[in-house]
Amino acid sequence: GHAALFFGADISDAYIRYATKHRHSNIQFTAANAEKLPYADQSMDVVTSVYLFHELPRKVRRQVMSEIARVLKPGGLLVIEDSAQKLESADIEPVLTRFPIEFHEPYYPDYIKDPFENWVSGAGFESMASERCFVAKIVTATRQAA
């Protein structure tokens, strides 16, 4: 079998420099905006995103999701970890509502009202599952086959 290759992208040059300095040899990091990923169409088997979507305005969330769909192979796996949202987290709504007030999170109030469920499938994904883990949620979906 082939050795796995990993690619990491972040908009912060400083984070990329740090990650590159501390990386494993089979990981390649690139400073890039998730709205325009520097990868070929259908070139990835798996795409992961950790705590990105709550940092983005609604329109950009959808643009990033369509970019992820573009670079994923048909049948490829998407795994997202991000903040919980109101849909599955009514019991902790006061915590979610307070968070952007205590921390500078300008897009967070809209994010918690904009469920992944409403827009992941629109980007060409199926078999979406979502599971809450305390104040986070894990979302998985499969890129639709051609």
Side-chain angles (χ1 to χ4, degrees), residues 22-70:
H22 297 86
R23 74 186 175 96
H24 194 277
S25 61
N26 61 345
I27 306 174
Q28 178 186 319
F29 291 103
T30 309
N33 187 325
E35 293 172 75
K36 194 165 179 10
L37 292 168
Y39 308 118
D41 294 1
Q42 301 184 6
S43 59
M44 301 289 167
D45 296 305
V46 179
V47 172
T48 63
S49 166
V50 181
Y51 290 104
L52 170 64
F53 285 92
H54 77 272
E55 300 281 359
L56 307 174
R58 185 175 286 225
K59 188 176 164 194
V60 176
R61 265 177 244 141
R62 283 152 175 77
Q63 171 59 31
V64 170
M65 191 57 67
S66 73
E67 265 298 273
I68 289 171
R70 179 186 68 76

